[in-house]
């Protein structure tokens, strides 16, 4: 049985423990439990979370676990010397060491991310990069695998991280079954953006929301302003003015952002050629898609795919 331990500390965030449900349902999905889940802390006993809920923990013991997962917190928490030593010993003795959200601070303070690719919650990624310049921080990733060290973005990205672990351990079928039980998408690729184009725009009126929903469902078509205006039940002139007022973008830029988001996901999944991805997402040809990727990510589609493949093989 694989021992999975969550390292908790005063003020940890309960949302980090959502990842434990992934391992719980993996156990339910097989005849014999494959994961032994525990919660550890330096002192043992009750550890109170940021929301006031307490979790009973056991004191640090044998660091030779299968996986040690560091929970996140609403703000930076610096590990104690005991916590540093335990994490360092766990990295040497265990198969995997992981952090969820701001748990990356713990790994950074212990020097365990030096020279490695890593990610964390977007709101603190640049602070970590500035303070720990030896880390190769990639702030717009859901999760990253660099050798035995796994890091994830904030909140629900810990579930994506845990699903990826189950997939590595027992295959995609079990990971899919767990995701279905948890009613979550199986699974966001590690390289997927932490941001959503639709959420970034935050349209206020139903009319503009309807136009964007229409655009997202019809990316393969040219999507003229006239089409979008019709979906919003406005004249083209009214639509363009209202769209920019609500989203801060022109309709053309918004459509490009939706296309880039859809194309990036298809590139990461790796099931289609670049030409097919360009056609299916409405770019018409690979060169137009390449230019859009460079504007959005500073990288061409091939690099996005290569990074996703590297993560899947790690």
């Amino acid at each position: 049985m694989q021992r999975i331990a969550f390292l908790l500390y005063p003020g940890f965030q309960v949302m980090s423990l959502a990842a434990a449900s992934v391992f719980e349902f993996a156990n339910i999905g097989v005849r014999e439990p494959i994961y032994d889940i525990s919660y550890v802390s330096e002192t043992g006993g009750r550890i109170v979370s940021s929301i006031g809920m307490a979790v009973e923990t056991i004191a640090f013991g044998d660091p030779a676990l299968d996986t040690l997962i560091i929970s996140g917190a609403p703000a930076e928490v610096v590990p104690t010397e005991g916590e540093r030593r335990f994490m360092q010993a766990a990295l040497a003795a265990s198969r995997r060491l992981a952090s969820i959200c701001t748990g990356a601070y713990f790994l950074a303070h212990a020097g365990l991310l030096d020279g490695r690719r890593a990610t964390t919650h977007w709101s603190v990624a640049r602070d970590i990069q500035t303070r720990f310049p030896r880390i190769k921080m990639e702030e717009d990733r859901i999760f990253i695998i660099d050798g035995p060290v796994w890091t994830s973005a904030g909140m629900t990205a810990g579930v994506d991280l845990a699903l990826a672990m189950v997939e590595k351990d027992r295959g995609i079928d079990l990971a899919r079954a767990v995701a279905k039980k948890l009613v979550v998408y199986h699974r966001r690729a590690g390289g997927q953006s932490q941001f959503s184009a639709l959420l970034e725009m935050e349209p206020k009126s139903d009319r503009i929301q309807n136009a964007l929903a229409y655009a997202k469902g019809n990316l393969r078509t040219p999507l003229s302003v006239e089409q979008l205006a019709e979906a919003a039940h406005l004249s083209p002139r009214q639509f363009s003015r209202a769209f920019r007022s609500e989203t801060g973008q022109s309709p053309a830029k918004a459509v490009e952002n939706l296309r880039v988001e859809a194309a990036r996901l298809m590139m990461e999944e790796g099931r289609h050629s670049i030409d097919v991805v360009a056609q299916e997402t409405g770019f018409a040809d690979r060169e137009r898609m390449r230019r859009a990727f460079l504007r959005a990510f500073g990288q061409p589609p091939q690099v996005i795919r290569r990074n996703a493949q590297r993560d899947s093989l790690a």
Side-chain angles (χ1 to χ4, degrees):
M1 190 178 296
Q2 295 169 221
R3 295 172 60 210
I4 308 287
F6 286 79
L7 191 159
L8 307 185
Y9 47 85
F12 78 93
Q13 207 151 31
V14 173
M15 189 67 188
S16 301
L17 301 187
S21 294
V22 173
F23 303 113
E24 174 192 6
F25 278 91
N27 282 342
I28 293 171
V30 295
R31 292 183 179 179
E32 295 182 3
I34 54 179
Y35 296 112
D36 175 26
I37 307 162
S38 62
Y39 307 95
V40 303
S41 66
E42 184 174 12
T43 60
R46 287 164 52 88
I47 301 296
V48 180
S49 71
S50 61
I51 202 171
M53 187 186 87
V55 174
E56 193 68 30
T57 66
I58 57 177
F60 293 157
D62 184 0
L65 304 158
D66 179 82
T67 305
L68 177 65
I69 300 175
I70 315 302
S71 58
E76 178 193 358
V77 180
V78 178
T80 66
E81 187 57 35
E83 288 166 336
R84 291 183 196 223
R85 287 197 302 268
F86 184 71
M87 289 187 292
Q88 290 163 349
L91 179 59
S94 305
R95 184 163 66 102
R96 292 183 297 223
L97 177 63
S99 67
I100 294 174
C101 194
T102 51
Y105 273 115
F106 256 51
L107 299 185
H109 279 293
L112 300 177
L113 294 182
D114 288 354
R116 297 186 183 276
R117 296 168 55 238
T119 193
T120 186
H121 194 285
W122 60 267
S123 66
V124 300
R126 294 188 183 181
D127 178 60
I128 292 180
Q129 180 66 88
T130 300
R131 295 173 57 185
F132 305 95
R134 295 185 62 189
I135 300 173
K136 301 172 184 176
M137 181 60 64
E138 299 181 23
E139 63 183 84
D140 193 25
R141 304 292 294 276
I142 295 296
F143 64 86
I144 285 177
I145 307 167
D146 191 318
V149 178
W150 299 47
T151 52
S152 83
M155 306 303 178
T156 58
V159 172
D160 296 284
L161 182 92
L163 283 170
M165 289 180 174
V166 171
E167 184 175 325
K168 292 282 186 188
D169 296 342
R170 291 298 177 113
I172 194 169
D173 289 340
L174 180 58
R176 280 191 180 130
V178 171
K180 187 175 181 180
K181 286 285 188 181
L182 295 176
V183 197
V184 297
Y185 177 79
H186 179 263
R187 68 179 166 73
R188 292 187 292 178
Q192 187 173 335
S193 173
Q194 295 186 35
F195 304 98
S196 162
L198 285 177
L199 288 176
E200 285 284 288
M201 287 183 271
E202 296 184 333
K204 299 176 178 62
S205 69
D206 290 344
R207 289 185 172 186
I208 301 303
Q209 288 176 7
N210 289 341
L212 284 168
Y214 175 84
K216 190 168 185 179
N218 294 274
L219 291 177
R220 205 175 190 278
T221 68
L223 289 175
S224 65
V225 169
E226 287 73 20
Q227 285 176 285
L228 296 176
E230 185 176 347
H233 302 293
L234 293 168
S235 71
R237 184 177 178 181
Q238 288 175 316
F239 172 74
S240 294
R241 186 167 58 247
F243 192 94
R244 187 178 286 277
S245 173
E246 291 190 26
T247 69
Q249 300 179 21
S250 69
K253 184 61 178 176
V255 168
E256 179 177 289
N257 288 339
L258 290 173
R259 284 186 168 136
V260 163
E261 186 173 73
R264 178 172 180 167
L265 181 57
M266 289 183 71
M267 290 297 299
E268 289 170 342
E269 289 173 342
R271 294 199 297 265
H272 304 287
S273 69
I274 293 177
D275 289 325
V276 168
V277 173
Q279 289 290 334
E280 290 298 314
T281 54
F283 282 110
D285 61 66
R286 61 191 297 162
E287 178 56 26
R288 290 183 185 178
M289 187 171 78
R290 187 187 73 83
R291 292 197 299 266
F293 267 61
L294 289 173
R295 285 192 293 271
F297 310 121
Q299 297 177 325
Q302 295 92 328
V303 173
I304 300 292
R305 170 165 286 175
R306 193 157 56 243
N307 288 341
Q309 290 173 339
R310 178 178 57 190
D311 285 348
S312 69
L313 293 173

